[in-house]
Amino acid sequence: MELIYLWVEEYKNIRKQGFNFSGRYRCEYDDVKNELTINENKEYVHIFPDNINVTAIVGENGSGKSSLLELLPYGGESQNTNSLIFLLFKKEDEFIILKPS
């Protein structure tokens, strides 16, 4: 299973922000329409074997890197937030959205 996208409505210093974790897909979430768009990147070049995906999270101090990493293990079920958070995964040929109920 591959993590494709994370949307955070509000958590600590992250507000209305989407994070793409795959070069193969470009995702955009419209929070007004509550609509997620997934586009395949036709120019994507993969230099690693298919079962390896390398993603880096970089930024200045205080930009939210640690806050972002705090959210990933909870899959949208973090106890520290009441905001909309969802994760988009791809398993084989199926997209799976994991979000709080």
Side-chain angles (χ1 to χ4, degrees), residues 55-90:
T55 301
I57 300 171
V58 296
E60 295 182 13
N61 290 343
S63 62
K65 297 180 301 293
S66 296
S67 297
L68 177 65
L69 291 174
E70 287 173 6
L71 292 171
L72 293 178
Y74 297 103
E77 296 291 340
S78 174
Q79 298 171 355
N80 298 327
T81 183
N82 294 324
S83 297
L84 174 65
I85 296 170
F86 69 83
L87 296 145
L88 174 68
F89 292 92
K90 185 169 185 200

Side-chain angles (χ1 to χ4, degrees), residues 1 14 22 29 43 48 58 69 73 78 80-82 88 93 101:
M1 190 157 34
I14 304 171
S22 174
Y29 177 67
E43 298 175 13
F48 297 105
V58 296
L69 291 174
S78 174
N80 298 327
T81 183
N82 294 324
L88 174 68
D93 290 332
S101 46

Side-chain angles (χ1 to χ4, degrees), residues 32-45:
V32 174
K33 295 180 182 178
N34 192 28
E35 184 177 277
L36 177 65
T37 305
I38 305 167
N39 293 313
E40 188 170 356
N41 181 359
K42 304 289 185 192
E43 298 175 13
Y44 174 72
V45 176

